[in-house]
Amino acid sequence: MYFAALLARTEDGWEASDTELDDVETLSDLSDLAREASVDDDTVLVYIEQEDAWFGVVRVDGEEDPRIYVSDAAAAARSSYGEILLTDELLGRDPGDDDVADLDSLDLDGTEDGEPDGGADDDDEDDVGVTAKGETVPSGPIGDREVLTDLGVNEKELLALDSTDALGEIAERLGAAEVLETVR
């Protein structure tokens, strides 16, 4: 089960809204969605979580490039929404690689992807993820670990968050727990 929300910073604090990601196919689409929620080009945070598996935070500040943090790249790679966040740049790959599947071949319907094809359980499955493009992704956190530092959540605290209620804990630190709960 997925949960996605936008938190937009305003003069009066944070405003939260839940969001559907059904029409979001790329990081650019996600950034555009965040910018639409922005007040005066201020900070917007996009929270995406897959229950007890992984969470991601995308920070959009005006027209700047989005900053991304994903708690577990391997788990996110097995999910359609996680694939949106795992860009070539984030994974340290050349964006010009022609081994990339076209969007028509990706399953972005929000259901669980990457489930075993049946048969044996592989112990290594938890150590790496495989994207829809067939690329291997290591487990563990990836991205900008200082994405929330100026908002009160430093790198050490971000890395220590458990996927069970990480977004709630982040919202609590930002002073936005109540507005986030209204959209949960």
Side-chain angles (χ1 to χ4, degrees):
M1 172 112 180
Y2 288 94
F3 172 72
L6 297 172
L7 274 180
R9 188 164 56 179
T10 69
E11 289 179 3
D12 301 324
W14 292 94
E15 291 181 6
S17 59
D18 61 342
T19 187
E20 289 295 323
L21 299 178
D22 293 342
D23 295 330
V24 174
E25 295 180 350
T26 66
L27 181 59
S28 179
D29 293 343
L30 189 61
S31 298
D32 290 345
L33 184 69
R35 286 185 182 101
E36 289 172 12
S38 176
V39 176
D40 297 327
D41 288 335
D42 212 339
T43 301
V44 176
L45 301 176
V46 180
Y47 289 146
I48 302 173
E49 71 179 0
Q50 182 182 354
E51 194 172 289
D52 298 334
W54 66 274
F55 70 92
V57 177
V58 178
R59 178 178 178 161
V60 178
D61 293 299
E63 292 300 317
E64 292 181 27
D65 288 340
R67 297 169 59 191
I68 305 165
Y69 174 80
V70 176
S71 66
D72 187 335
R78 293 186 293 267
S79 114
S80 57
Y81 295 130
E83 286 257 329
I84 293 169
L85 305 181
L86 298 176
T87 64
D88 288 334
E89 181 180 341
L90 191 68
L91 295 171
R93 294 193 287 248
D94 291 330
D97 287 350
D98 290 336
D99 297 335
V100 177
D102 63 5
L103 285 177
D104 293 334
S105 68
L106 295 178
D107 179 16
L108 298 176
D109 66 355
T111 58
E112 288 303 313
D113 292 337
E115 301 222 356
D117 292 333
D121 287 334
D122 187 6
D123 290 340
D124 294 336
E125 187 176 317
D126 292 336
D127 296 337
V128 297
V130 179
T131 68
K133 302 169 190 173
E135 299 161 331
T136 303
V137 178
S139 67
I142 191 167
D144 186 347
R145 295 176 180 188
E146 295 180 355
V147 68
L148 301 172
T149 299
D150 64 322
L151 299 174
V153 182
N154 67 37
E155 176 181 351
K156 184 178 177 182
E157 293 165 328
L158 186 62
L159 291 171
L161 292 175
D162 181 337
S163 293
T164 305
D165 190 34
L167 301 185
E169 291 180 40
I170 291 170
E172 183 74 34
R173 285 302 200 77
L174 299 178
E178 287 182 26
V179 294
L180 182 63
E181 278 306 310
T182 63
V183 299
R184 270 198 189 247

